[in-house]
Amino acid sequence: MTVETLLGRQVGDYDPPVRGDPITGERYYSRRWAQAEWDHVWTKVWHIGGMVADLEEPGDFLTHNLGRESVVMLKQEDGSVRAFYNACKHRGYRLAWTEVGGSPFLTCAYHGWRYAPDGTLIHAQDPDDFPGGNPCGRTKLEEIPCAVWGGFVWFTMDRDAASLADWLGPVGRQMEQWGMDRMTRVMALKSDVPCNWKIIRDNFNESYHLPTLHPQIANVIDDSLEDTIFEIYPDGHNRMIMRGLKPSGRYDTADILEMPLAQALEYWELDPKDFEGRASQTRAAIIAKKRELGRARGYPHYDGMGDSEIVDFHHYTLFPNLTFTMWPDGVQLLRSEPHPTDPERCIFDHWFMAHRIGDSDVVIGPMGPTPFEAVERETVIFGTRSLGDVADQDLSVAIGQQEGLHSRGYTGGLLANQEKRVQAFHERLNDMCGIHD
Ligand code: FES
Ligand SMILES: [Fe+2]
């Protein structure tokens, strides 16, 4: 089924009913909710631990800290990746302290125990001084499920979890069209942000805010309701497709044939003046030009893509906290995770993965032109520099909402139909956490 035939509101099988549970304010600030989410959500779902590309040699590792927990993912001799809790079996010292690293052994800095990449203890000081004898070869780090997909290393703390492929379901197969595993991560910003993680999820689970909050993108993303597809999948993931490289149907007039749409038209050898009075036709014209010129201009990845994929914005939210916006030439990942101790803060990540275009050493990312080179994650002290124009706008309201949700004047929300993904997200959380008050 093509996107053209799907255009409309929530579609068919992917429009499950919601109950209308109130979205209580307390869930955004209470320790009761934070603990329930840890017990029933964070320790049950799959998480991204880092980039496969950072693991080159056996013994290379990634770490990912989530709340108070930490996980280390190690490359094995056979090329596979295994994940372990990042805590020494001797007395619990955290073993790996950098996000990326590597050595033949993982060595604990406290008493010097050494572990092989498969988690087996291979050296302990005074090994015969232990009850039961030498612990080497018998003691192993605590292993948890690990998988590789889309260029990322994933882990889950639930040893009984469905496989990653099953957890992704049809959404995973859809996302493979963009070839994420052939992309390079060219931007990776991280910040500790003063709002609950779900405020950021709510924002990414609706597009109702676009005309008010992001008017600058209205001439390259059509945010009009009748042209946007919303789908909610049974496993809690969802998809939104917005038409790209045409102005919003809310403002279909010639005078919005400005930057950056005009720039896109010119790049693909089209004259913006030809579209005065018929701005809704820019998308189809650019699709045709991309098909005609794409391969020769360094865009061979268009060959395997459908028309919608080479021009539209496919926006996926994987439950509970990963949002991928698929652009024709790259993927933006926005993630919010719980703060280790404070329910009114969260850890926010903004990554961009891109295909190289020809031999260009620059790609156009969420921060504008960006060098095409692999980057390590960069931590930003919130408020001291931009996390991306659009992300800054989203985060500015997130902080204001965190304040308002404490008010006795907030009584559980009044959502538009097009915000159904927000409602479905919270009802799923209510059910998983077993909290319905
Ligand atoms: S805590 Fe790791 S060697 Fe003692
Ligand atoms: Fe936004």
Side-chain angles (χ1 to χ4, degrees):
M1 192 181 297
T2 68
V3 168
E4 303 302 324
T5 62
L6 286 174
L7 288 176
R9 301 290 290 278
Q10 286 95 357
V11 181
D13 294 342
Y14 306 117
D15 184 21
V18 289
R19 299 184 296 256
D21 297 1
I23 301 175
T24 54
E26 185 217 339
R27 70 189 55 220
Y28 296 95
Y29 50 80
S30 78
R31 295 196 180 276
R32 174 177 82 135
W33 262 95
Q35 187 62 48
E37 288 165 357
W38 183 259
D39 294 340
H40 302 293
V41 180
W42 300 116
T43 50
K44 303 297 177 192
V45 301
W46 283 90
H47 302 276
I48 290 181
M51 305 300 295
V52 177
D54 285 329
L55 299 177
E56 294 175 1
E57 304 293 331
D60 285 357
F61 67 80
L62 304 166
T63 64
H64 182 62
N65 299 341
L66 177 67
R68 300 298 299 266
E69 190 53 90
S70 181
V71 171
V72 59
M73 292 142 276
L74 283 143
K75 182 143 178 164
Q76 307 294 302
E77 289 291 341
D78 67 1
S80 64
V81 186
R82 292 168 74 171
F84 306 90
Y85 288 116
N86 189 10
C88 182
K89 292 295 280 188
H90 177 223
R91 289 200 9 237
Y93 190 83
R94 183 167 285 182
L95 289 166
W97 287 86
T98 55
E99 290 178 356
V100 177
S103 78
F105 316 113
L106 206 50
T107 302
C108 182
Y110 194 171
H111 309 91
W113 282 25
R114 277 207 306 255
Y115 299 88
D118 71 354
T120 306
L121 179 68
I122 53 172
H123 168 81
Q125 179 181 303
D126 302 333
D128 298 326
D129 191 33
F130 289 84
N134 185 345
C136 294
R138 295 187 288 128
T139 297
K140 296 192 110 189
L141 296 177
E142 290 294 314
E143 186 165 6
I144 55 176
C146 184
V148 165
W149 178 82
F152 307 104
V153 179
W154 302 71
F155 68 86
T156 174
M157 290 179 258
D158 181 2
R159 292 191 173 93
D160 300 322
S163 71
L164 177 62
D166 286 349
W167 179 77
L168 291 166
V171 163
R173 292 189 288 280
Q174 292 166 12
M175 292 170 71
E176 284 172 3
Q177 294 179 85
W178 283 267
M180 284 195 295
D181 53 354
R182 299 191 301 279
M183 294 181 183
T184 299
R185 187 174 69 176
V186 298
M187 188 189 92
L189 303 174
K190 173 189 182 72
S191 195
D192 177 338
V193 174
C195 68
N196 181 273
W197 70 277
K198 295 186 292 296
I199 285 185
I200 291 176
R201 303 327 308 163
D202 294 348
N203 178 276
F204 296 150
N205 270 330
E206 51 92 353
S207 56
Y208 189 55
H209 69 277
L210 263 62
T212 306
L213 208 53
H214 311 307
Q216 79 276 22
I217 59 175
N219 88 343
V220 283
I221 299 180
D222 182 358
D223 58 27
S224 55
L225 187 53
E226 61 274 14
D227 271 354
T228 301
I229 295 168
F230 305 103
E231 294 176 343
I232 300 171
Y233 290 80
D235 46 18
H237 310 320
N238 68 59
R239 171 167 79 159
M240 175 182 74
I241 305 174
M242 294 187 129
R243 290 183 167 206
L245 297 184
K246 77 184 275 291
S248 167
R250 298 176 196 276
Y251 320 103
D252 191 8
T253 60
D255 60 351
I256 60 168
L257 281 173
E258 299 166 351
M259 302 284 275
L261 180 57
Q263 196 176 34
L265 288 163
E266 284 165 358
Y267 181 86
W268 290 104
E269 301 182 2
L270 294 162
D271 186 347
K273 291 196 191 66
D274 291 344
F275 294 90
E276 283 177 12
R278 53 185 199 101
S280 64
Q281 294 171 35
T282 52
R283 175 179 175 274
I286 291 175
I287 290 172
K289 281 290 185 183
K290 285 187 166 189
R291 290 279 179 231
E292 178 191 338
L293 306 173
R295 175 161 275 278
R297 298 186 67 174
Y299 298 81
H301 50 281
Y302 290 171
D303 289 357
M305 290 176 161
D307 283 356
S308 176
E309 286 74 19
I310 67 168
V311 74
D312 294 335
F313 292 83
H314 291 234
H315 182 89
Y316 288 91
T317 293
L318 304 189
F319 183 87
N321 69 326
L322 299 170
T323 295
F324 296 82
T325 301
M326 320 302 277
W327 298 1
D329 309 316
V331 173
Q332 179 191 37
L333 172 66
L334 296 153
R335 171 169 74 178
S336 57
E337 293 184 324
H339 186 275
T341 57
D342 186 349
E344 300 205 56
R345 305 189 72 85
C346 68
I347 308 302
F348 174 73
D349 283 293
H350 188 181
W351 298 358
F352 190 66
M353 282 68 60
H355 285 295
R356 185 172 208 140
I357 307 304
D359 57 5
S360 170
D361 53 11
V362 171
V363 292
I364 305 301
M367 306 278 276
T370 303
F372 185 86
E373 57 188 34
V375 290
E376 290 188 16
R377 214 151 69 166
E378 187 182 349
T379 299
V380 174
I381 297 171
F382 184 72
T384 61
R385 58 166 279 200
S386 176
L387 290 162
D389 289 351
V390 173
D392 289 345
Q393 290 168 328
D394 287 324
L395 291 172
S396 72
V397 293
I399 295 163
Q401 194 181 13
Q402 183 72 36
E403 297 303 316
L405 288 167
H406 278 277
S407 172
R408 287 187 288 176
Y410 171 73
T411 55
L414 174 61
L415 274 61
N417 289 327
Q418 65 188 283
E419 296 174 287
K420 193 173 186 178
R421 290 173 298 150
V422 177
Q423 187 71 31
F425 166 82
H426 284 284
E427 293 185 2
R428 190 173 190 86
L429 270 186
N430 292 350
D431 293 345
M432 288 180 79
C433 293
I435 300 178
H436 291 93
D437 56 21

